[in-house]
Amino acid sequence: MSPILLQGGAGALFFLFGLLTLLVQLGIIVWIYSDAQQRSDQPAFLWAIVAFLAPLLGLVLYLIIGRNGY
């Protein structure tokens, strides 16, 4: 098999992985923003900014300290 074909396949795989990662990050941001509008006393856009800057850490912080008990 040609090395050029293998390189193209690896590039496509990395592109798909990056696209999937981007979609998951955007989903986290949108979910945190919409949930914070309903369940948080803090401004929802600030939680969205936290999730934008650090998606996984922002999600964990929001779940621990951002949501109210109702």
Side-chain angles (χ1 to χ4, degrees), residues 24-26 28-29 32 50-61:
V24 168
Q25 288 179 346
L26 288 175
I28 289 171
I29 293 167
I32 286 178
V50 170
F52 175 75
L53 295 175
L56 294 178
L57 179 62
L59 177 63
V60 170
L61 288 175

Side-chain angles (χ1 to χ4, degrees), residues 8-62:
L13 185 63
F14 283 122
F15 174 75
L16 289 176
F17 180 73
L19 185 62
L20 179 64
T21 303
L22 178 66
L23 290 175
V24 168
Q25 288 179 346
L26 288 175
I28 289 171
I29 293 167
V30 169
W31 180 80
I32 286 178
Y33 179 78
S34 63
D35 194 64
Q37 285 181 326
Q38 299 170 0
R39 297 183 183 218
S40 180
D41 292 334
Q42 294 94 10
F45 72 93
L46 289 179
W47 280 113
I49 290 171
V50 170
F52 175 75
L53 295 175
L56 294 178
L57 179 62
L59 177 63
V60 170
L61 288 175
Y62 175 70

